[in-house]
Amino acid sequence: QVQLVESGGGLVQAGGSLRLSCAVSGRTFNDYGMGWFRQAPGEEREFVAGINWAAGTYYADSVKGRFAISRDNAMNMVYLQMASLKPEDTAVYYCARHRSGGISHYVRDYAYWGQGTQVTVSS
């Protein structure tokens, strides 16, 4: 059974930084792409960043240059370093495991999801 547990969310002022962490259970973590999504109230879940099995990365235009995704295969961890945060970044952030080793911005391409962690950016 694959489980994902996010941590690191919180309240931060605009312009501040946060680092989200995602702990992933399972012995084949190295083989899979991982992604971060977010969902604001009343909005659809949207792609934020992804990292494939070879550590190639891909970002939504809205966070490019401000967020950085990384992975630690030895620890089965995925991180999302967020800087220059804006009020519009406020959302619940979810970690997800792709169905393969690739990256995708489609929710349907991810098979396992964490419970989410709240990020609130005040103006």
Side-chain angles (χ1 to χ4, degrees):
Q1 182 72 12
V2 177
Q3 292 186 321
L4 294 83
V5 180
E6 303 97 335
S7 60
L11 173 64
V12 64
Q13 288 189 333
S17 300
L18 278 177
R19 188 175 86 150
L20 305 184
S21 300
C22 176
V24 185
S25 66
R27 291 178 290 178
T28 57
F29 174 77
N30 299 15
D31 295 339
Y32 290 92
M34 299 295 300
W36 285 96
F37 287 74
R38 66 187 181 188
Q39 188 167 19
E43 302 290 332
E44 292 189 354
R45 194 167 295 190
E46 65 172 2
F47 173 82
V48 175
I51 186 166
N52 66 17
W53 70 275
T57 57
Y58 176 61
Y59 297 93
D61 287 344
S62 59
V63 306
K64 203 172 292 183
R66 299 189 298 121
F67 290 11
I69 187 172
S70 60
R71 64 190 298 160
D72 182 339
N73 288 340
M75 300 295 291
N76 280 25
M77 295 290 294
V78 182
Y79 304 99
L80 185 68
Q81 181 67 50
M82 305 185 294
S84 302
L85 283 161
K86 305 174 182 179
E88 51 263 43
D89 294 319
T90 296
V92 177
Y93 282 71
Y94 297 91
C95 175
R97 198 189 83 170
H98 198 273
R99 298 181 187 277
S100 72
I103 304 173
S104 168
H105 60 276
Y106 294 110
V107 170
R108 65 175 181 261
D109 290 336
Y110 292 79
Y112 296 95
W113 294 82
Q115 82 290 348
T117 186
Q118 176 71 46
V119 172
T120 303
V121 184
S122 63
S123 57

